[in-house]
Amino acid sequence: MLHRDVEYLGPDRAEKLDLYLPDNAGQSLRPAVVIIHGGGWRVGDKADFRETQIAETLTTAGYVCVSINYTLFTDKKPAWPAYLNEAREAVAFLRRNAAEYRIDPSRIGAIGSSAGGNIALLLGSRVEDYEPVRAVVALYPPTDMTLKGFGRLPIFGPELLTNPEMAVEASPVFLVTDSFPPTLLLHGTEDKLVTLDHSTNMAAALKKFGVPHRLKVIEGAPHTFKIFEPGWDLRGEVVGFFDQFLKA
């Protein structure tokens, strides 16, 4: 069952979420996953085909899903840290409504692609008044925003010139600790926009702190691939990972 354009940031906000509920009956509590679209923090939508495909794959497997829209930057308006706070609010939405949607609030994960993969990984970092998600899947995520080309993105605005630490705070590779959630990284060898080293470096950081993780490198895959298309089918990989860490 799909509920479109559900408010999660307040009635005055244009950004909504789509809520996907699995068809399974019964009273047992279910895990949930936040889906975060890509688009370079500038474009993209919660109902893009890639995100819809992910949602349908996970709901078929018994997961409650929310696919979210969030603040995007313009040349005159930065987006950091608004998009991260809004993604955290989506996690809070699932926990607030856990009883209504039969969600186990302790078993929430996140999945995102490209910019959305960056945000999904950031949801794994613990900060004051926020309890991180339990598992993360990130497709071709930018993990180091201090690298040339990423730090200059208008998502930060002119304040980055006087506060370069902002780019570090938006970089999951620098935020890994031994409490970081289990992580699955999916990246293509032919990604020219977000190169493979973003995921290999993230995997190295996770290994350093003993965090359960997997890096799946897809030979020949470019940037922005979907989890199922001619050439590969990663649906079982994604569902199996979430099953291991959210259903156990």
Side-chain angles (χ1 to χ4, degrees):
M1 183 181 299
L2 170 59
H3 300 275
R4 291 196 182 275
D5 297 325
V6 178
E7 292 177 359
Y8 81 106
L9 298 173
D12 59 330
R13 292 294 301 273
E15 296 85 1
K16 314 292 184 185
L17 62 77
D18 290 343
L19 171 67
Y20 295 80
L21 298 175
D23 294 331
N24 57 329
Q27 299 303 313
S28 59
L29 298 181
R30 305 172 290 198
V33 175
V34 178
I35 302 169
I36 309 169
H37 71 77
W41 299 274
R42 187 166 195 162
V43 297
D45 185 76
K46 57 184 170 55
D48 288 344
F49 181 78
R50 175 181 50 195
E51 284 62 46
T52 300
Q53 184 190 72
I54 291 171
E56 291 174 351
T57 297
L58 290 174
T59 52
T60 299
Y63 290 82
V64 176
C65 293
V66 291
S67 185
I68 68 169
N69 278 343
Y70 52 88
T71 293
L72 302 173
F73 77 82
T74 67
D75 292 338
K76 296 182 179 179
K77 183 189 74 173
W80 171 265
Y83 60 77
L84 175 55
N85 293 332
E86 290 157 6
R88 288 172 177 160
E89 184 57 32
V91 177
F93 170 90
L94 289 170
R95 289 176 174 149
R96 284 197 308 270
N97 294 282
E100 180 178 357
Y101 302 133
R102 293 188 8 245
I103 296 168
D104 182 342
S106 69
R107 293 189 289 142
I108 296 174
I111 183 171
S113 306
S114 194
N118 168 277
I119 301 169
L121 289 167
L122 291 174
L123 290 180
S125 181
R126 186 181 303 274
V127 295
E128 187 177 359
D129 298 326
Y130 168 72
E131 180 68 24
V133 295
R134 282 265 309 272
V136 177
V137 176
L139 289 76
Y140 34 91
T143 64
D144 186 349
M145 300 298 288
T146 69
L147 294 177
K148 182 179 179 181
F150 290 92
R152 293 201 304 267
L153 285 171
I155 60 172
F156 298 112
E159 186 183 345
L160 184 65
L161 296 174
T162 57
N163 184 14
E165 196 66 20
M166 293 170 66
V168 175
E169 294 168 354
S171 300
V173 73
F174 300 124
L175 305 178
V176 178
T177 68
D178 57 7
S179 65
F180 205 85
T183 300
L184 171 62
L185 300 161
L186 304 171
H187 218 121
T189 58
E190 297 304 309
D191 193 331
K192 308 301 184 185
L193 185 61
V194 180
T195 50
L196 179 58
D197 57 324
H198 279 269
S199 282
T200 57
N201 290 342
M202 186 70 189
L206 294 165
K207 181 179 180 180
K208 175 182 177 181
F209 285 94
V211 178
H213 67 282
R214 301 176 200 162
L215 170 58
K216 174 80 171 182
V217 177
I218 298 87
E219 190 67 35
H223 195 63
T224 73
F225 62 82
K226 296 177 280 294
I227 62 170
F228 174 51
E229 57 181 279
W232 52 80
D233 185 350
L234 303 170
R235 292 175 295 182
E237 188 100 23
V238 170
V239 171
F241 179 82
F242 278 134
D243 281 354
Q244 180 181 355
F245 293 105
L246 295 183
K247 282 190 175 180

